[in-house]
Amino acid sequence: MAMATAVPLPGDRDAQARALALWLGIALLLAALASLSHGASGASLWSVAQALVSGEPIPDRDRIILWDIRLPRLLTGILVGASLAVGGAVMQGLFRNPLADPGLVGVGAGAGLGAVVAIVLGGLAPAWLAARAGYHLVPLAAFLGGWASTLVLYRVSTRAGRTSVATMLLAGIALGALAGALTGILVYLADDRQLRDLTFWGLGSLGGATWPRIAAAGPVMLLALCTAPFLARGLNGLALGEAAAHHIGLPVQRVKSVAILTVAGATGAAVAVSGGIGFVGIVVPHLLRLATGPDHRFLLVNAGLAGAILLLLADLIARNVIAPAELPIGIVTAVLGAPVFLWILLRRRGLVDL
């Protein structure tokens, strides 16, 4: 006799999602402490805490490592991981497709092209611009590239005040291909030093995290993260289809516009400070949707927490596995995320039951 499968009731799903948020919050705190405590140097959070309790002076070296290197890196990892995961969750809700992510509409490719332009052609920039931008030139160019691709995408896919998601998807694929081609041309023109910079940027890293960079890109990511929860009701309504969402009184066009700008801001700023880091935006929201359901009231919050945890742990691995050298963090997320992504595809085709 076949056994009936218990289907969680909505109340059970909500309780599971709230409990998961609590556990993710605790896990994020532990991951943050681990990130601050471990590194290639011998400085640890524990040794500093002991010095504070005992009243002994803290060595300048330990203070600099914790305050000027690890702490900005920690905050950057949290913001970037949360931004990529929330951006993916919003994009999947907008397209009603669990395999969508910000890279699908060309935002990441546009930001990457901006970074490549700054690395290869930065020497041709006017002296006043190079002097003012300094080492922020590459992140600034990446951010502008992400926003420019978003603006083009929005203009192409919007007509008479209505945005076509299908047109946006096709235009995003075209923009991504164009950005990839232009990036390839610039890579072909790059010298050896620029090729090393391009390789490191393309694979992603939190090694360039500094307080000035957080001050430049952090507010954009924070604004996107604070805006995302207000999209939950609209994304839940869009899950029914645009026509049904319109009939229940949702401002569909406004929801789509705010969602697009939120994804562009989160992804563009994240790529600007960390380079290309894949799989966080697609894997994290999808796994959480499988665990606690598609309700965006909880999905967006939990995705932000889980994305931050994943990036902190990946950064911890990248810093310690071949210390004192450092792996690009994009390699770690790819190693962790690619098998999960393949599992998602096989599961959707019914080839695995787990």
Side-chain angles (χ1 to χ4, degrees):
M1 183 175 66
M3 296 181 63
T5 303
V7 178
L9 297 173
D12 296 335
R13 284 281 195 182
D14 292 357
Q16 290 174 1
R18 291 192 180 93
L20 181 61
L22 175 62
W23 284 111
L24 287 174
I26 295 172
L28 177 59
L29 178 61
L30 295 176
L33 291 174
S35 178
L36 281 177
S37 304
H38 293 83
S41 70
S44 69
L45 186 63
W46 176 246
S47 64
V48 174
Q50 280 185 313
L52 289 174
V53 172
S54 63
E56 297 177 356
I58 303 173
D60 289 343
R61 172 179 169 275
D62 290 356
R63 181 180 56 77
I64 292 172
I65 289 174
L66 289 174
W67 179 256
D68 292 337
I69 298 177
R70 291 186 188 171
L71 191 55
R73 188 170 186 138
L74 167 69
L75 295 178
T76 303
I78 292 174
L79 287 173
V80 169
S83 297
L84 293 176
V86 169
V90 172
M91 190 60 70
Q92 291 173 11
L94 183 65
F95 284 100
R96 301 193 296 279
N97 187 329
L99 297 182
D101 79 336
L104 194 65
V105 293
V107 178
L113 175 61
V116 172
V117 168
I119 292 172
V120 178
L121 304 178
L124 303 178
W128 63 269
L129 177 60
R132 287 178 179 274
Y135 63 87
H136 299 298
L137 183 61
V138 174
L140 177 64
F143 181 71
L144 292 177
W147 272 101
S149 61
T150 303
L151 290 176
V152 173
L153 186 71
Y154 189 78
R155 288 298 301 270
V156 170
S157 59
T158 301
R159 186 174 184 180
R162 297 178 63 85
T163 303
S164 168
V165 174
T167 304
M168 185 192 307
L169 177 61
L170 295 174
I173 293 173
L175 280 175
L178 179 61
L182 295 176
T183 300
I185 294 173
L186 291 172
V187 169
Y188 186 77
L189 298 175
D191 58 28
D192 290 343
R193 181 187 59 79
Q194 292 168 343
L195 281 176
R196 285 195 296 272
D197 292 341
L198 290 174
T199 301
F200 200 71
W201 178 271
L203 295 175
S205 174
L206 300 181
T210 59
W211 290 115
R213 285 192 176 182
I214 291 178
V220 179
M221 289 186 279
L222 276 177
L223 178 62
L225 293 174
C226 292
T227 302
F230 293 99
L231 291 168
R233 179 172 173 268
L235 294 174
N236 285 343
L238 285 176
L240 305 172
E242 290 192 23
H246 178 74
H247 285 301
I248 62 176
L250 281 177
V252 174
Q253 182 58 35
R254 187 189 307 167
V255 170
K256 289 193 291 187
S257 299
V258 175
I260 293 166
L261 292 175
T262 300
V263 172
T267 307
V271 174
V273 295
S274 65
I277 298 176
F279 292 104
V280 178
I282 189 169
V283 170
V284 170
H286 189 74
L287 291 180
L288 290 171
R289 187 177 288 105
L290 292 176
T292 58
D295 191 339
H296 288 85
R297 292 177 302 160
F298 307 108
L299 178 63
L300 293 171
V301 175
N302 287 340
L305 293 171
I309 294 168
L310 175 61
L311 208 63
L312 289 185
L313 295 180
D315 182 52
L316 202 58
I317 295 172
R319 280 189 286 149
N320 291 279
V321 68
I322 57 170
E326 179 178 324
L327 274 177
I329 196 171
I331 292 178
V332 180
T333 58
V335 170
L336 297 176
V340 178
F341 187 69
L342 286 173
W343 171 76
I344 292 172
L345 293 177
L346 293 174
R347 189 176 184 275
R348 283 173 61 84
R349 293 179 59 84
L351 299 178
V352 295
D353 296 328
L354 295 176

